[in-house]
Amino acid sequence: MKQSKLIAVSVLLGSAVMATPAMAYDEMSGVARSGGKGFIGLGGAYKPDYEGSDDYEGRVVPFGKYNWDSGRYISLGGTAGSESAGRLKLNVMSRDYSEVFEFGPLLQYRLKRDDDVDNKKVSKMKEVDAATEAGAFFGFKAGPWSAELAFATDVSSEHDGSLAYFKGGYKIPVSDSFELKLGAHVTWADDDYMSSYFGVSGKDSARSGLSKYQASSGIKDAGLSATGHYKFNDKWGLLGNINYTRMLNDAEDSPLVNNVGDENQYTAVLAVTYAF
């Protein structure tokens, strides 16, 4: 039963895996209409085909959010940076308790890295299977400012790693129809995660021709983002996001990034939104 529930949640999160840039959709008040319950969005993203890659690909971007009258909400989107991971997040803190703080559980689904990547050397390395991760988040919103700290750990025994995310943002209501959100993000990863996604074992080195490499825990990336939302009317809108992430420390020095990839990671998203 536990395994079947995990698979079901993984499939749900898999539908949002493409929304991986640091999209500020859940802090963009202009997306949801006044008195509405939430919104959905669908569009396209142009992003690296693996974390640290210099090859890019197009993907579908689904995301959304549902708000309860109490202030609690559930959202479906993605993590920050160049990761290929979708996130399901539930805020359990009501407005009766706090007007500015948020807290709740989260689930993430991380796509596998296999021989489908463009780089011929990386495609010969051992596959890193898709993983389901669970954790929690703590958020703060006051006026135009927002911040969030999140933690997730692998519960599917695929990479056995853990990550910590921090992001902050500032919202600018440019006009009645257009809202801009500027953001920054930092991600920390432990030894297991870094070894799985940035390490090169002896066997991988022999297969790929890349140098053997041991990656250790630390801050793996940091970046900036800008998200704009334009409302055509009370329901329909257009959301655009650009995201820059810089790989750091052992992630930057990995042969997957330094030799055949790029420490500079870019993502662009354009999506249609519908508020209800």
Side-chain angles (χ1 to χ4, degrees), residues 235-253:
K235 292 185 177 181
W236 294 96
L238 185 67
L239 185 144
N241 170 273
I242 53 175
N243 181 85
Y244 167 73
T245 298
R246 179 65 155 80
M247 310 305 297
L248 299 171
N249 301 317
D250 280 15
E252 176 188 1
D253 294 336

Side-chain angles (χ1 to χ4, degrees), residues 87-124:
R87 176 182 289 176
L88 183 67
K89 188 170 71 172
L90 175 65
N91 173 42
V92 299
M93 191 171 292
S94 71
R95 292 195 189 96
D96 292 336
Y97 186 81
S98 175
E99 291 282 347
V100 297
F101 293 112
E102 298 178 346
F103 172 77
L106 62 82
L107 283 172
Q108 295 181 175
Y109 182 79
R110 191 172 303 275
L111 281 180
K112 64 181 178 180
R113 190 189 71 206
D114 55 18
D115 59 3
D116 194 38
V117 300
D118 286 343
N119 188 274
K120 301 302 180 183
K121 292 186 176 181
V122 177
S123 67
K124 295 177 181 178

Side-chain angles (χ1 to χ4, degrees), residues 151-190:
F151 174 80
T153 189
D154 179 24
V155 294
S156 56
S157 300
E158 298 299 344
H159 61 73
D160 294 320
S162 299
L163 302 101
Y165 302 88
F166 177 78
K167 68 176 182 178
Y170 184 79
K171 183 173 55 182
I172 305 171
V174 180
S175 69
D176 291 340
S177 300
F178 183 71
E179 187 174 275
L180 178 67
K181 176 72 180 285
L182 303 178
H185 60 273
V186 178
T187 308
W188 174 91
D190 70 0

Side-chain angles (χ1 to χ4, degrees), residues 31-55:
V31 178
R33 64 188 178 92
S34 178
K37 288 294 186 180
F39 64 88
I40 55 175
L42 183 66
Y46 187 64
K47 65 183 300 296
D49 67 352
Y50 72 84
E51 191 176 8
S53 176
D54 62 355
D55 294 306

